[in-house]
Amino acid sequence: MPKKAPPTAIKEQSMEIQKSMIADNFRQLYDAPKTDQKVVSTFVPGNLNELLMCFDFARNLPEINALQNAMRKRTGRMIMEAERAGHSEDVCTYVKADLGMMAQGNIGPTGEALPTPDLLLLSYTGCFTFMKWFELVREQYKCETAMLHVPYQGDGVITPNMREYVVKQLKEDIIPTLERVSGVKFDIDRLRQYLRQSAKAEEDLVWVLQSAKNKPSPIDAYFGGVYYVGPIFSSFRGSEGAAEYYAMLRKEVEERVRLGKGPVTPEGEMPEEKYRLVVEGPPNWTHFREFWKMFYEEGAVVVASSYTKVGGVYDFGFRHDPDNPIETLADYCLGCYTNLNLPHRADMLSQYVEEYEADGLLINSIKSCNSFSAGQLLLLREVEKRTGKPGAFIETDLVDPRYFSAANVKNRLESYFQMIKQKREGNAPLGAAA
Amino acid sequence: MTDKTQKTTADISAKLETGNSSKTSLMYRKNLKDIVAYCQELFDDLDFKAVKSWKEAKPGRKVIGYMPVYVPREIIHAAGMLPVGIMGGGDQLEVIHGDAYYQSYICRIPRSTIELGVTGRLDVLDGMLFPSICDVIRNLSGMWKLMFKDKYVRYFDVPQNYEDEIGGKFYIHEMQTLRDDFAKLVGHEITDDDLRNSIAVYNENRKAVEELYAFRAKGPWKAPSTEVYLLVRAGMVLPVEEHTQLLKDYLEVAAVEDRPVRDNCRVVVSGVFCEQPPFNMIKSIEMAGCYIVDDDFMLVTRWLLQEVPISGDPLENLSKAFLHHSNDTAAKYEPDVDKKGKYLIDSVRDNSAEGIIFAGPSFCDPALLDRPMLQNALAAKDIPFTSFEYAENSGQMQPIREQAGTFADSIKLWSA
């Protein structure tokens, strides 16, 4: 009997536009060798998109490739290919999916070939693995690599020394390299113009994310949120297209708030909001829709998430500042979520639980991502202690299908929802459902 | 050289000759057996009794713990405090609480370190430094802040940019912050001369460690790696002056000890720079027929590769040493693709090694992600290697012994 095709997902208009923007970027990358456009590969957290646009680079983001491949169920084979080539089972699956994709001909998620980059811009922000990842791909591409070392906020603050260090690297190392590789002279006014667009988009994105304070929440700030942050976290921040997208998204969500509607799920509008959650950690990409379904089937809405801050924390006031173009890039890089120390992350998550009137904190702990995951069990306890709301802990992976156990995850989620329900009725002790 | 600098250098030399400010109190008789037994005792002691004794010997003394791979211990020493290397709990510590803080896919060292902390074994420490090595240790710094609120806790970032004017300036400032923080902790200023003196003391120590390594590389049957390991490990808890003396004493007695030469091959062990393997793993490698002639255990003692100048600005000197003359490991970025793995190839050549054993801790991102690149570099030079993973509490050594034995046999049979 032929396998039944999954039903077509229902999407908001903004999701369709976002999908088309991402597809356009893959097309631009595919065309780059023909159009003679220079290509840079760089990471999502701490990406310098506005700066790269000043040099007319096409931007390739390896994490986006990996997650897009995962959503298309392709990463399992890629990861095994990398493991056959000698990479340990223990290490980051984003890296192995990328290396496996390269080994299989470097065909991107849309089926179009990805070009050899002219430059690897290693923005070493909030993740140690990034450094090794680009050393590994550098070995394959044999292209130039520029390193931007972004210090960690160990004490929970950005010190003048940290900012100055990043600014100096940008001025004396990164910008001259970008000029040399691209052949385009740096124009600071062009950068300012892009930064203005970024700030506009950021303003609208924050409005959209904070709309989840409404009851019911008009959005799902995790599963829906990953669509919303797609353009601003990847190769569109600073572009007119991104600013237009976020203005349009805001209007769409404003309308949902006006009508008192809940989020749109792949199976249509969510009829009733039963549980409001804050989620810490990235989603699983290989079973994204199945994972989401476990929430919306139970009436659970994610009202705030840390993952939607991984490419920039905007909801505490930061906006790209065109009046201080280089310094603002430094502050952006230094302020990404995984560059914050654990006490700061505990503060943020507790604040989310309180401000979004959530029922508790759910942690999706990712096997591959020590940057997020190491210390999450303490975070859970800390947030529970501060908010008095119960937490739960599930474990999956980013792009390795071997580490998604649907039955286990579903079981834990159901127990958690049960616990919240009982707590509301006043007869459950506080404790994690993990 | 200015008069002032000349005077400073002379003062420091004089201090060194008289054993510096710390009176030595080594608790062993100067023979090989006693020295090794003393080191073994220090290694086995999970309650840090030696550190407690040091602290209790004089009121007001303070202790700063640090994790692998590297911190400038000179600054701790210059403040009059004792730097103590926290290398995890090994295979003798039962980890009960520590496991409750971590998922199954996180390495062992943070679990056992938390175990040491929550069971009060680290109460002797007045502060902890968490160097920039990986995301796990980085996040542990935040956990420590949340869990041990009365202690000084600092994530110590080091530059991945090696330009004096960029990474150097950042690093000097980070060290200055550490210096200021420590001055507050001990209640007095840390002068440039204090720092110069400490640099000189650590130069002596680095020299002694290098001599020990050179001695082993020249005649590995004379200095088994189990002994070398214990000797260097003793430096994690002893005052540096005492540790230097200990190494000198060992070298003196080991040189005259008559030990049989075995038909072992010579290997470099790589990847053991953070979570330490069980002591039995080192024994097993040797028993399998491999003389370890170089390794990256406790790199803090060998991080700086040249003598750090004691004249001039001490923090600038430490910075330059870090940027331009420091060891390579997976925790550092290698800007030059052609130099990736060169340090291992150099080690093989300089120590007349015949192969490399990659021993990486399970779930160690730096070691395990770096390994394929290092292996490619070795393969290009036809240097044989083998690889396995371990955890600090691994109990079963038979597979490792067999793998190391097969590797040794293959070298002897086919590398002639």
Side-chain angles (χ1 to χ4, degrees), chain B residues 46-48 52 67 86 88-89 93-98 101 109-125 128 130 140 143-144 147-151:
Chain B
L46 292 169
D47 293 310
F48 297 90
K52 283 178 190 153
M67 293 203 69
I86 304 300
L93 182 74
E94 192 183 359
V95 175
I96 300 164
H97 310 281
Y101 288 84
I109 186 169
R111 300 162 191 273
S112 59
T113 304
I114 284 191
E115 187 75 23
L116 291 169
V118 296
T119 53
R121 290 175 169 98
L122 299 181
D123 286 355
V124 68
L125 305 179
M128 266 291 262
F130 296 86
L140 184 58
M143 293 174 75
W144 219 260
M147 293 171 73
F148 304 99
K149 291 195 165 89
D150 57 330
K151 303 279 185 183

mmCIF file of all heavy atoms in Angstrom, chain B residues 46-48 52 67 86 88-89 93-98 101 109-125 128 130 140 143-144 147-151:
data_model
loop_
_atom_site.group_PDB
_atom_site.id
_atom_site.type_symbol
_atom_site.label_atom_id
_atom_site.label_comp_id
_atom_site.label_asym_id
_atom_site.label_seq_id
_atom_site.Cartn_x
_atom_site.Cartn_y
_atom_site.Cartn_z
ATOM 1 N N LEU B 46 41.034 13.340 47.689
ATOM 2 C CA LEU B 46 39.938 14.110 47.095
ATOM 3 C C LEU B 46 39.406 15.162 48.065
ATOM 4 O O LEU B 46 38.446 15.860 47.768
ATOM 5 C CB LEU B 46 38.811 13.166 46.673
ATOM 6 C CG LEU B 46 39.160 12.239 45.502
ATOM 7 C CD1 LEU B 46 38.098 11.160 45.331
ATOM 8 C CD2 LEU B 46 39.316 13.023 44.208
ATOM 9 N N ASP B 47 40.025 15.256 49.230
ATOM 10 C CA ASP B 47 39.595 16.262 50.209
ATOM 11 C C ASP B 47 40.547 17.461 50.265
ATOM 12 O O ASP B 47 40.374 18.341 51.100
ATOM 13 C CB ASP B 47 39.476 15.626 51.603
ATOM 14 C CG ASP B 47 38.337 14.627 51.634
ATOM 15 O OD1 ASP B 47 37.226 15.003 51.195
ATOM 16 O OD2 ASP B 47 38.553 13.475 52.049
ATOM 17 N N PHE B 48 41.528 17.454 49.410
ATOM 18 C CA PHE B 48 42.477 18.573 49.300
ATOM 19 C C PHE B 48 43.120 18.909 50.656
ATOM 20 O O PHE B 48 43.183 20.070 51.065
ATOM 21 C CB PHE B 48 41.781 19.806 48.692
ATOM 22 C CG PHE B 48 41.297 19.552 47.297
ATOM 23 C CD1 PHE B 48 40.030 19.058 47.051
ATOM 24 C CD2 PHE B 48 42.126 19.796 46.210
ATOM 25 C CE1 PHE B 48 39.584 18.798 45.764
ATOM 26 C CE2 PHE B 48 41.697 19.547 44.911
ATOM 27 C CZ PHE B 48 40.424 19.046 44.691
ATOM 28 N N LYS B 52 44.389 22.437 52.393
ATOM 29 C CA LYS B 52 43.874 22.892 53.700
ATOM 30 C C LYS B 52 45.037 23.177 54.652
ATOM 31 O O LYS B 52 45.031 24.182 55.365
ATOM 32 C CB LYS B 52 42.943 21.834 54.295
ATOM 33 C CG LYS B 52 41.564 21.835 53.653
ATOM 34 C CD LYS B 52 40.687 20.747 54.233
ATOM 35 C CE LYS B 52 39.422 20.617 53.405
ATOM 36 N NZ LYS B 52 38.835 19.294 53.444
ATOM 37 N N MET B 67 40.169 25.640 36.580
ATOM 38 C CA MET B 67 39.942 24.425 35.786
ATOM 39 C C MET B 67 40.891 24.433 34.585
ATOM 40 O O MET B 67 41.522 25.449 34.288
ATOM 41 C CB MET B 67 38.478 24.370 35.362
ATOM 42 C CG MET B 67 37.561 24.161 36.577
ATOM 43 S SD MET B 67 35.986 23.448 36.160
ATOM 44 C CE MET B 67 36.403 21.781 35.686
ATOM 45 N N ILE B 86 41.754 22.237 39.606
ATOM 46 C CA ILE B 86 40.644 21.306 39.860
ATOM 47 C C ILE B 86 40.463 20.485 38.586
ATOM 48 O O ILE B 86 40.014 20.987 37.565
ATOM 49 C CB ILE B 86 39.350 22.076 40.221
ATOM 50 C CG1 ILE B 86 39.593 23.003 41.413
ATOM 51 C CG2 ILE B 86 38.193 21.108 40.495
ATOM 52 C CD1 ILE B 86 40.028 22.326 42.696
ATOM 53 N N GLY B 88 38.762 17.575 38.169
ATOM 54 C CA GLY B 88 37.675 16.590 38.217
ATOM 55 C C GLY B 88 37.870 15.608 39.354
ATOM 56 O O GLY B 88 38.760 15.774 40.193
ATOM 57 N N GLY B 89 37.035 14.591 39.365
ATOM 58 C CA GLY B 89 37.035 13.678 40.504
ATOM 59 C C GLY B 89 37.693 12.336 40.245
ATOM 60 O O GLY B 89 37.783 11.509 41.148
ATOM 61 N N LEU B 93 35.900 8.944 42.857
ATOM 62 C CA LEU B 93 34.836 9.756 43.458
ATOM 63 C C LEU B 93 33.481 9.232 43.008
ATOM 64 O O LEU B 93 33.226 9.105 41.809
ATOM 65 C CB LEU B 93 34.985 11.219 43.012
ATOM 66 C CG LEU B 93 33.959 12.189 43.603
ATOM 67 C CD1 LEU B 93 34.248 12.475 45.069
ATOM 68 C CD2 LEU B 93 33.952 13.502 42.812
ATOM 69 N N GLU B 94 32.641 8.947 43.977
ATOM 70 C CA GLU B 94 31.296 8.510 43.614
ATOM 71 C C GLU B 94 30.458 9.758 43.329
ATOM 72 O O GLU B 94 30.262 10.596 44.214
ATOM 73 C CB GLU B 94 30.684 7.702 44.752
ATOM 74 C CG GLU B 94 29.429 6.994 44.306
ATOM 75 C CD GLU B 94 28.740 6.224 45.430
ATOM 76 O OE1 GLU B 94 29.262 6.224 46.562
ATOM 77 O OE2 GLU B 94 27.706 5.645 45.167
ATOM 78 N N VAL B 95 30.017 9.870 42.098
ATOM 79 C CA VAL B 95 29.246 11.059 41.716
ATOM 80 C C VAL B 95 27.764 10.771 41.916
ATOM 81 O O VAL B 95 27.175 9.959 41.221
ATOM 82 C CB VAL B 95 29.556 11.468 40.262
ATOM 83 C CG1 VAL B 95 28.678 12.630 39.830
ATOM 84 C CG2 VAL B 95 31.034 11.837 40.124
ATOM 85 N N ILE B 96 27.199 11.429 42.892
ATOM 86 C CA ILE B 96 25.769 11.225 43.194
ATOM 87 C C ILE B 96 25.002 12.490 42.820
ATOM 88 O O ILE B 96 24.102 12.478 41.995
ATOM 89 C CB ILE B 96 25.565 10.893 44.689
ATOM 90 C CG1 ILE B 96 26.326 9.612 45.050
ATOM 91 C CG2 ILE B 96 24.076 10.740 45.000
ATOM 92 C CD1 ILE B 96 26.520 9.390 46.529
ATOM 93 N N HIS B 97 25.414 13.603 43.409
ATOM 94 C CA HIS B 97 24.709 14.864 43.147
ATOM 95 C C HIS B 97 25.026 15.398 41.756
ATOM 96 O O HIS B 97 24.159 15.941 41.083
ATOM 97 C CB HIS B 97 25.115 15.909 44.185
ATOM 98 C CG HIS B 97 25.025 15.426 45.588
ATOM 99 N ND1 HIS B 97 23.840 15.351 46.264
ATOM 100 C CD2 HIS B 97 25.978 14.955 46.432
ATOM 101 C CE1 HIS B 97 24.069 14.874 47.483
ATOM 102 N NE2 HIS B 97 25.355 14.613 47.601
ATOM 103 N N GLY B 98 26.265 15.259 41.352
ATOM 104 C CA GLY B 98 26.724 15.850 40.083
ATOM 105 C C GLY B 98 25.919 15.376 38.887
ATOM 106 O O GLY B 98 25.627 16.157 37.982
ATOM 107 N N TYR B 101 22.742 17.168 37.778
ATOM 108 C CA TYR B 101 22.840 18.477 37.127
ATOM 109 C C TYR B 101 23.060 18.376 35.620
ATOM 110 O O TYR B 101 23.090 19.385 34.929
ATOM 111 C CB TYR B 101 23.999 19.291 37.739
ATOM 112 C CG TYR B 101 23.685 19.771 39.130
ATOM 113 C CD1 TYR B 101 23.893 18.964 40.240
ATOM 114 C CD2 TYR B 101 23.151 21.049 39.341
ATOM 115 C CE1 TYR B 101 23.599 19.398 41.520
ATOM 116 C CE2 TYR B 101 22.854 21.496 40.609
ATOM 117 C CZ TYR B 101 23.079 20.664 41.703
ATOM 118 O OH TYR B 101 22.775 21.106 42.967
ATOM 119 N N ILE B 109 33.696 15.677 33.591
ATOM 120 C CA ILE B 109 34.418 16.588 34.503
ATOM 121 C C ILE B 109 33.510 17.611 35.189
ATOM 122 O O ILE B 109 33.679 17.866 36.389
ATOM 123 C CB ILE B 109 35.667 17.232 33.825
ATOM 124 C CG1 ILE B 109 36.461 18.042 34.842
ATOM 125 C CG2 ILE B 109 35.322 18.057 32.615
ATOM 126 C CD1 ILE B 109 37.821 18.512 34.383
ATOM 127 N N PRO B 110 32.490 18.161 34.527
ATOM 128 C CA PRO B 110 31.661 19.117 35.275
ATOM 129 C C PRO B 110 30.827 18.438 36.357
ATOM 130 O O PRO B 110 30.552 19.033 37.401
ATOM 131 C CB PRO B 110 30.770 19.730 34.195
ATOM 132 C CG PRO B 110 30.719 18.731 33.109
ATOM 133 C CD PRO B 110 32.061 18.055 33.115
ATOM 134 N N ARG B 111 30.459 17.174 36.107
ATOM 135 C CA ARG B 111 29.654 16.446 37.111
ATOM 136 C C ARG B 111 30.465 16.244 38.383
ATOM 137 O O ARG B 111 29.994 16.486 39.487
ATOM 138 C CB ARG B 111 29.296 15.048 36.594
ATOM 139 C CG ARG B 111 28.514 15.030 35.335
ATOM 140 C CD ARG B 111 28.618 13.632 34.697
ATOM 141 N NE ARG B 111 28.095 13.665 33.357
ATOM 142 C CZ ARG B 111 26.815 13.489 33.054
ATOM 143 N NH1 ARG B 111 25.956 13.224 33.990
ATOM 144 N NH2 ARG B 111 26.395 13.562 31.816
ATOM 145 N N SER B 112 31.711 15.744 38.183
ATOM 146 C CA SER B 112 32.508 15.444 39.378
ATOM 147 C C SER B 112 32.958 16.735 40.053
ATOM 148 O O SER B 112 33.125 16.772 41.271
ATOM 149 C CB SER B 112 33.693 14.557 39.023
ATOM 150 O OG SER B 112 34.507 15.174 38.067
ATOM 151 N N THR B 113 33.130 17.801 39.273
ATOM 152 C CA THR B 113 33.515 19.077 39.886
ATOM 153 C C THR B 113 32.364 19.589 40.755
ATOM 154 O O THR B 113 32.576 20.061 41.879
ATOM 155 C CB THR B 113 33.886 20.096 38.791
ATOM 156 O OG1 THR B 113 34.928 19.525 37.994
ATOM 157 C CG2 THR B 113 34.396 21.398 39.383
ATOM 158 N N ILE B 114 31.150 19.456 40.246
ATOM 159 C CA ILE B 114 29.990 19.852 41.053
ATOM 160 C C ILE B 114 29.883 18.960 42.287
ATOM 161 O O ILE B 114 29.595 19.432 43.389
ATOM 162 C CB ILE B 114 28.709 19.819 40.191
ATOM 163 C CG1 ILE B 114 28.699 21.054 39.291
ATOM 164 C CG2 ILE B 114 27.449 19.742 41.071
ATOM 165 C CD1 ILE B 114 27.429 21.331 38.585
ATOM 166 N N GLU B 115 30.160 17.683 42.094
ATOM 167 C CA GLU B 115 30.127 16.757 43.236
ATOM 168 C C GLU B 115 31.120 17.218 44.312
ATOM 169 O O GLU B 115 30.798 17.251 45.498
ATOM 170 C CB GLU B 115 30.484 15.335 42.764
ATOM 171 C CG GLU B 115 30.322 14.261 43.802
ATOM 172 C CD GLU B 115 28.858 13.903 44.059
ATOM 173 O OE1 GLU B 115 28.021 14.155 43.169
ATOM 174 O OE2 GLU B 115 28.567 13.407 45.157
ATOM 175 N N LEU B 116 32.325 17.565 43.856
ATOM 176 C CA LEU B 116 33.330 18.047 44.808
ATOM 177 C C LEU B 116 32.819 19.305 45.511
ATOM 178 O O LEU B 116 33.020 19.492 46.709
ATOM 179 C CB LEU B 116 34.650 18.371 44.077
ATOM 180 C CG LEU B 116 35.449 17.192 43.514
ATOM 181 C CD1 LEU B 116 36.574 17.696 42.602
ATOM 182 C CD2 LEU B 116 36.027 16.318 44.622
ATOM 183 N N GLY B 117 32.135 20.144 44.748
ATOM 184 C CA GLY B 117 31.634 21.404 45.310
ATOM 185 C C GLY B 117 30.504 21.186 46.310
ATOM 186 O O GLY B 117 30.571 21.676 47.439
ATOM 187 N N VAL B 118 29.495 20.431 45.906
ATOM 188 C CA VAL B 118 28.323 20.308 46.787
ATOM 189 C C VAL B 118 28.588 19.418 48.007
ATOM 190 O O VAL B 118 27.870 19.496 48.995
ATOM 191 C CB VAL B 118 27.050 19.806 46.039
ATOM 192 C CG1 VAL B 118 26.612 20.790 44.988
ATOM 193 C CG2 VAL B 118 27.248 18.432 45.445
ATOM 194 N N THR B 119 29.644 18.597 47.943
ATOM 195 C CA THR B 119 29.967 17.775 49.116
ATOM 196 C C THR B 119 30.946 18.498 50.055
ATOM 197 O O THR B 119 31.442 17.899 51.010
ATOM 198 C CB THR B 119 30.577 16.419 48.689
ATOM 199 O OG1 THR B 119 31.678 16.675 47.801
ATOM 200 C CG2 THR B 119 29.558 15.549 47.991
ATOM 201 N N GLY B 120 31.225 19.758 49.749
ATOM 202 C CA GLY B 120 32.041 20.563 50.657
ATOM 203 C C GLY B 120 33.531 20.388 50.484
ATOM 204 O O GLY B 120 34.325 21.004 51.196
ATOM 205 N N ARG B 121 33.939 19.548 49.532
ATOM 206 C CA ARG B 121 35.381 19.307 49.375
ATOM 207 C C ARG B 121 36.101 20.533 48.841
ATOM 208 O O ARG B 121 37.320 20.642 48.989
ATOM 209 C CB ARG B 121 35.615 18.124 48.446
ATOM 210 C CG ARG B 121 35.217 16.778 49.049
ATOM 211 C CD ARG B 121 35.389 15.711 47.987
ATOM 212 N NE ARG B 121 35.286 14.368 48.492
ATOM 213 C CZ ARG B 121 34.169 13.630 48.429
ATOM 214 N NH1 ARG B 121 33.069 14.139 47.917
ATOM 215 N NH2 ARG B 121 34.151 12.398 48.893
ATOM 216 N N LEU B 122 35.359 21.422 48.204
ATOM 217 C CA LEU B 122 36.004 22.624 47.658
ATOM 218 C C LEU B 122 35.751 23.852 48.543
ATOM 219 O O LEU B 122 36.015 24.977 48.121
ATOM 220 C CB LEU B 122 35.514 22.883 46.222
ATOM 221 C CG LEU B 122 35.817 21.770 45.204
ATOM 222 C CD1 LEU B 122 35.309 22.156 43.819
ATOM 223 C CD2 LEU B 122 37.301 21.443 45.145
ATOM 224 N N ASP B 123 35.260 23.613 49.740
ATOM 225 C CA ASP B 123 35.029 24.751 50.637
ATOM 226 C C ASP B 123 36.321 25.511 50.927
ATOM 227 O O ASP B 123 36.290 26.689 51.262
ATOM 228 C CB ASP B 123 34.426 24.273 51.969
ATOM 229 C CG ASP B 123 32.969 23.873 51.802
ATOM 230 O OD1 ASP B 123 32.423 24.066 50.696
ATOM 231 O OD2 ASP B 123 32.374 23.355 52.774
ATOM 232 N N VAL B 124 37.416 24.811 50.807
ATOM 233 C CA VAL B 124 38.719 25.435 51.064
ATOM 234 C C VAL B 124 39.031 26.552 50.057
ATOM 235 O O VAL B 124 39.834 27.438 50.321
ATOM 236 C CB VAL B 124 39.828 24.348 51.070
ATOM 237 C CG1 VAL B 124 40.030 23.754 49.682
ATOM 238 C CG2 VAL B 124 41.141 24.881 51.609
ATOM 239 N N LEU B 125 38.352 26.508 48.927
ATOM 240 C CA LEU B 125 38.618 27.519 47.901
ATOM 241 C C LEU B 125 37.884 28.815 48.224
ATOM 242 O O LEU B 125 36.728 28.796 48.629
ATOM 243 C CB LEU B 125 38.161 27.027 46.523
ATOM 244 C CG LEU B 125 38.708 25.690 46.016
ATOM 245 C CD1 LEU B 125 38.116 25.387 44.636
ATOM 246 C CD2 LEU B 125 40.220 25.710 45.943
ATOM 247 N N MET B 128 36.932 30.555 42.284
ATOM 248 C CA MET B 128 37.143 29.603 41.175
ATOM 249 C C MET B 128 37.259 30.357 39.863
ATOM 250 O O MET B 128 36.481 31.281 39.605
ATOM 251 C CB MET B 128 35.940 28.654 41.065
ATOM 252 C CG MET B 128 36.059 27.343 41.806
ATOM 253 S SD MET B 128 37.271 26.211 41.093
ATOM 254 C CE MET B 128 36.261 25.146 40.104
ATOM 255 N N PHE B 130 37.152 29.791 35.729
ATOM 256 C CA PHE B 130 36.721 28.869 34.676
ATOM 257 C C PHE B 130 37.272 29.393 33.354
ATOM 258 O O PHE B 130 36.737 30.345 32.792
ATOM 259 C CB PHE B 130 35.189 28.790 34.638
ATOM 260 C CG PHE B 130 34.611 28.204 35.893
ATOM 261 C CD1 PHE B 130 34.343 29.008 36.990
ATOM 262 C CD2 PHE B 130 34.365 26.848 35.989
ATOM 263 C CE1 PHE B 130 33.823 28.476 38.155
ATOM 264 C CE2 PHE B 130 33.846 26.300 37.158
ATOM 265 C CZ PHE B 130 33.577 27.121 38.249
ATOM 266 N N LEU B 140 29.518 26.130 33.208
ATOM 267 C CA LEU B 140 29.748 25.750 34.602
ATOM 268 C C LEU B 140 30.072 26.993 35.447
ATOM 269 O O LEU B 140 29.742 27.052 36.629
ATOM 270 C CB LEU B 140 30.879 24.712 34.683
ATOM 271 C CG LEU B 140 31.190 24.117 36.058
ATOM 272 C CD1 LEU B 140 29.982 23.443 36.684
ATOM 273 C CD2 LEU B 140 32.349 23.116 35.966
ATOM 274 N N MET B 143 26.875 28.286 36.513
ATOM 275 C CA MET B 143 26.273 27.404 37.516
ATOM 276 C C MET B 143 26.926 27.666 38.871
ATOM 277 O O MET B 143 26.257 27.710 39.900
ATOM 278 C CB MET B 143 26.463 25.935 37.106
ATOM 279 C CG MET B 143 25.674 25.564 35.855
ATOM 280 S SD MET B 143 26.036 23.896 35.266
ATOM 281 C CE MET B 143 25.142 22.893 36.452
ATOM 282 N N TRP B 144 28.239 27.851 38.831
ATOM 283 C CA TRP B 144 28.972 28.096 40.079
ATOM 284 C C TRP B 144 28.488 29.399 40.710
ATOM 285 O O TRP B 144 28.324 29.501 41.927
ATOM 286 C CB TRP B 144 30.483 28.147 39.787
ATOM 287 C CG TRP B 144 31.287 27.477 40.861
ATOM 288 C CD1 TRP B 144 31.956 28.087 41.885
ATOM 289 C CD2 TRP B 144 31.502 26.071 41.023
ATOM 290 N NE1 TRP B 144 32.570 27.138 42.668
ATOM 291 C CE2 TRP B 144 32.310 25.908 42.168
ATOM 292 C CE3 TRP B 144 31.098 24.941 40.315
ATOM 293 C CZ2 TRP B 144 32.733 24.649 42.620
ATOM 294 C CZ3 TRP B 144 31.506 23.688 40.760
ATOM 295 C CH2 TRP B 144 32.308 23.545 41.893
ATOM 296 N N MET B 147 25.276 28.620 42.349
ATOM 297 C CA MET B 147 25.309 27.636 43.434
ATOM 298 C C MET B 147 26.183 28.043 44.617
ATOM 299 O O MET B 147 25.940 27.615 45.735
ATOM 300 C CB MET B 147 25.822 26.287 42.893
ATOM 301 C CG MET B 147 24.877 25.637 41.907
ATOM 302 S SD MET B 147 25.620 24.214 41.107
ATOM 303 C CE MET B 147 25.599 23.023 42.431
ATOM 304 N N PHE B 148 27.226 28.805 44.332
ATOM 305 C CA PHE B 148 28.160 29.164 45.405
ATOM 306 C C PHE B 148 28.287 30.687 45.456
ATOM 307 O O PHE B 148 29.309 31.260 45.079
ATOM 308 C CB PHE B 148 29.530 28.480 45.188
ATOM 309 C CG PHE B 148 29.414 26.986 45.070
ATOM 310 C CD1 PHE B 148 29.406 26.359 43.832
ATOM 311 C CD2 PHE B 148 29.275 26.202 46.215
ATOM 312 C CE1 PHE B 148 29.276 24.976 43.716
ATOM 313 C CE2 PHE B 148 29.136 24.816 46.110
ATOM 314 C CZ PHE B 148 29.139 24.203 44.869
ATOM 315 N N LYS B 149 27.247 31.277 45.934
ATOM 316 C CA LYS B 149 27.133 32.737 45.838
ATOM 317 C C LYS B 149 28.140 33.488 46.715
ATOM 318 O O LYS B 149 28.411 34.657 46.478
ATOM 319 C CB LYS B 149 25.710 33.150 46.198
ATOM 320 C CG LYS B 149 24.676 32.706 45.145
ATOM 321 C CD LYS B 149 23.353 33.424 45.334
ATOM 322 C CE LYS B 149 22.467 33.274 44.121
ATOM 323 N NZ LYS B 149 21.611 32.124 44.116
ATOM 324 N N ASP B 150 28.679 32.835 47.721
ATOM 325 C CA ASP B 150 29.621 33.537 48.608
ATOM 326 C C ASP B 150 31.061 33.466 48.098
ATOM 327 O O ASP B 150 31.967 34.001 48.725
ATOM 328 C CB ASP B 150 29.544 32.936 50.027
ATOM 329 C CG ASP B 150 29.830 31.438 50.026
ATOM 330 O OD1 ASP B 150 29.520 30.773 49.012
ATOM 331 O OD2 ASP B 150 30.392 30.938 51.025
ATOM 332 N N LYS B 151 31.275 32.815 46.976
ATOM 333 C CA LYS B 151 32.658 32.670 46.470
ATOM 334 C C LYS B 151 32.919 33.625 45.311
ATOM 335 O O LYS B 151 31.988 34.024 44.608
ATOM 336 C CB LYS B 151 32.881 31.236 45.955
ATOM 337 C CG LYS B 151 32.621 30.155 46.971
ATOM 338 C CD LYS B 151 33.795 29.956 47.896
ATOM 339 C CE LYS B 151 33.537 28.772 48.828
ATOM 340 N NZ LYS B 151 34.597 28.565 49.785
#
